[in-house]
Amino acid sequence: MKIICAEDYADMSCKAADLLSEQIILKSDSILGLATGGTVLGIYNHLIQQYQKKHIDFAQIRTVNLDEYTGLSPDDKNSYHWYMKQNFFSHVNLDPSNCYLPDGRAESPAEECSRYEQLIASLGGIDLQLLGLGHNGHIGFNEPGTGFDEKTHLVTLSESTRQANSRFFPAENDIPKQAITMGIKSIMKARRILLCVSGAAKAEILQQVLFGPVTPKIPGSILQMHPDVTVIADMAACSCLPEEYRI
Ligand code: GLP
């Protein structure tokens, strides 16, 4: 595991975008696993700038997102479909038919989960998976207690996760109670993983994820077992890590 301490959010975003750009340049038909949330917004901004400068080209890139809320249509401003379109897809030359997210409105979530898992396999698996970190150590929407052997599945969101994401919704009642997420097993199959973490509020959980016991109680801790993980975190998020990882 490679741990990079960035100066601040802007530096973290820039360093993470550089790693993604390198992947795109070296393999122009990469399968990128993408994430949502506040942390990764700066990364998408950098990638858009790199694209505008013609440094990177998304023509052959395919993307698979980690998760989607249930019950929201792709046009719902709170859906992750909408988030991705607004913050990234519509600004670069990604072919919309090459961008995949779970269908949160599927009549049978169970069927949708297995369809999504098969889709990822049929693409040949994920070359590089981008991850943020939840305040309780979740990755994707894999909440504490999720089995490490779970593939894409339906989850009931914890109250703390709904609260943490409430800033994106007009009212508390609008926050969905469930989501479809790639499972830990799906995430661990990615050939490379990039975990990005920002802010002092995640410093303690990041320390547990990287240096604590590997346990389903802290879903992100499984990343310690992956052979190719890069962690890019800002100074505030690194403040509880051993001294050699801080700047
Ligand atoms: C959500 C998403 C995760 C994301 C996490 C952290 O729950 N499902 O993929 O990593 O929140 O979000 P933020 O970056 O806004 O703190």
Side-chain angles (χ1 to χ4, degrees), residues 132-139 142-144 184 205-206 209 217-221:
L133 184 66
H135 287 87
N136 57 8
H138 75 230
I139 50 176
N142 292 284
E143 298 284 29
I184 299 282
I205 194 70
L206 181 62
V209 163
K217 288 181 192 158
I218 313 276
S221 64

Side-chain angles (χ1 to χ4, degrees), residues 117-225:
E117 194 70 29
Q118 280 165 23
L119 167 85
I120 298 169
S122 71
L123 295 173
I126 297 166
D127 289 304
L128 175 56
Q129 176 66 55
L130 174 63
L131 293 178
L133 184 66
H135 287 87
N136 57 8
H138 75 230
I139 50 176
F141 265 137
N142 292 284
E143 298 284 29
T146 308
F148 286 154
D149 56 351
E150 285 275 9
K151 296 180 185 171
T152 301
H153 63 292
L154 181 70
V155 284
T156 297
L157 302 173
S158 70
E159 259 327 290
S160 71
T161 296
R162 291 182 73 237
Q163 282 311 317
N165 289 347
S166 64
R167 66 196 193 277
F168 297 115
F169 291 85
E172 206 171 316
N173 271 349
D174 298 320
I175 314 168
K177 294 196 165 58
Q178 290 189 312
I180 290 175
T181 183
M182 274 188 213
I184 299 282
K185 194 168 183 177
S186 335
I187 294 170
M188 288 295 279
K189 278 190 204 157
R191 288 181 271 283
R192 297 173 78 193
I193 292 180
L194 169 59
L195 173 69
C196 294
V197 189
S198 170
K202 292 187 184 166
E204 276 179 33
I205 194 70
L206 181 62
Q207 191 278 334
Q208 291 180 56
V209 163
L210 302 183
F211 296 101
V214 176
T215 163
K217 288 181 192 158
I218 313 276
S221 64
I222 190 68
L223 298 175
Q224 294 177 35
M225 312 301 284

